[in-house]
Amino acid sequence: MEIRETQKSVHSAPGRKRLRLALIGSAVLLAIVAAAAVFWFMQSRQSTRSARGATTSSASVSRPPAADSSTAAGVSSTDPEVDLTASDLKKARIRTARVTERALEAALRVPGVVKLNEYRVVHVTPIADGIVKQVPVILGEHVRSGQPLAIVFSSELAEAETQYLSELAELDVDHKKLLRTQNLLKLGAASQQEEEEVNAAHVARELHVRAALERLKLLGAEGPRIAALKQAGQTDSNITVRAPMDGLVTARMANVGLVVTKGSELFTVADLSRVWIMGSLNEKDFASVHVGTAAHITTSAYPGRAWNGRVAYIDPQVDSSTRTAQVRIEVANPGESLRIQMYVDIAFASRGATGVTVPEAAVQSIGDRQFVFLPLKDNEGSFSVHPVRLGPADNGYYAVLEGLKPNDEVVTDGSFILKAEGVRQHPELQ
């Protein structure tokens, strides 16, 4: 009876309900566990793949690229290439040269000013006091040596001429007296002492005449004028002020009616065929420039023109305020193009250290960059368009700052044709 009752209770409605709930809970729990396992598996697999990818990427970055045996020394695998056909290559007449090391010329530039050559400048002054009567030249006129610049009336010259004529007359009287005394001495009518006294007076008079003559010469009287003065016996009180040399009248202070003295400056005459270029040399550059250093002179007033000279003098005294010393270069000035006080640019050339150089003919500019063309080994007719960074040019060569090394082979003749082909085949170069 008890067993039957138990079986009945189990198969009753409440019992079955509890059993279903237990089964459903077990199924849900299994589903959650399975989902968690799948999620964990997927995450682990993705992490493994990421780690493998990172390892592969790192290896590819650190591995150096394989060398291309077809490229020449100095050629980068990223350089564009220019290809010429056999016929174009023949027409281009390509020639190459080797990159070499040479002594580079270092250029030092300083500002400069044009100055008069002080050795070729004359300040003209009169040799006697007087009044200006004529001025036949104007400011800026070219004059020749001996050409009259001004006529000055001088009472001092008139006095000197009068004195000279007077001494000449006295000399003539003394000379006649000496002749008479000598004749009387021969006749016994005069003593030896009288003859000696007359002779001494005659010699003294000759000295007075010579002194008067020298004074005339100092006042500008010349041989023809003195001869005419002796012949005519009349004084001419006009002094002719003449040009002391060939040159340009750069200053004129003389005007008609001006009262002048011996120290008065009437004109300045300068020879501008050679001028001085004065520059200021900094202390740090003293070792680079010395007497004899070549200098290249340019000015914005005459683009494309240049004047060459050498350092003739360096001031031994340094300016205490600017810490510079004056340097002087003498240059020829044909046509007097360089004007006084004009600003110029001075470039001093001095040999520096040895460096890598490339011929100017090998360099071509494309846009704002410079390139050379390197022939590719084992590939005739192909050339690499190789960028370079260059310094200043010197005697047909550029100093190479970056992009080439000694013994690299570059195209010289025909590089312009390669430039045109390079731009055509690679428009992105422009």
Side-chain angles (χ1 to χ4, degrees), residues 153-168:
F153 171 80
S154 173
S155 58
E156 184 179 358
L157 176 61
E159 180 184 346
E161 290 179 338
T162 302
Q163 181 67 29
Y164 176 66
L165 291 176
S166 175
E167 294 294 342
L168 281 177

Side-chain angles (χ1 to χ4, degrees), residues 285-356:
D285 299 319
F286 287 170
S288 303
V289 179
H290 53 82
V291 174
T293 298
H296 188 73
I297 314 299
T298 57
T299 174
S300 58
Y302 303 105
R305 290 189 61 182
W307 292 260
N308 295 313
R310 293 188 176 275
V311 175
Y313 174 79
I314 300 177
D315 194 338
Q317 183 173 351
V318 176
D319 189 298
S320 59
S321 58
T322 62
R323 309 310 303 169
T324 61
Q326 288 291 298
V327 58
R328 188 182 77 217
I329 305 105
E330 184 176 336
V331 298
N333 186 26
E336 300 179 357
S337 301
L338 293 175
R339 299 177 179 273
I340 309 307
Q341 300 300 331
M342 176 186 288
Y343 288 118
V344 296
D345 181 73
I346 308 172
F348 298 105
S350 60
R351 289 290 169 184
T354 300
V356 179

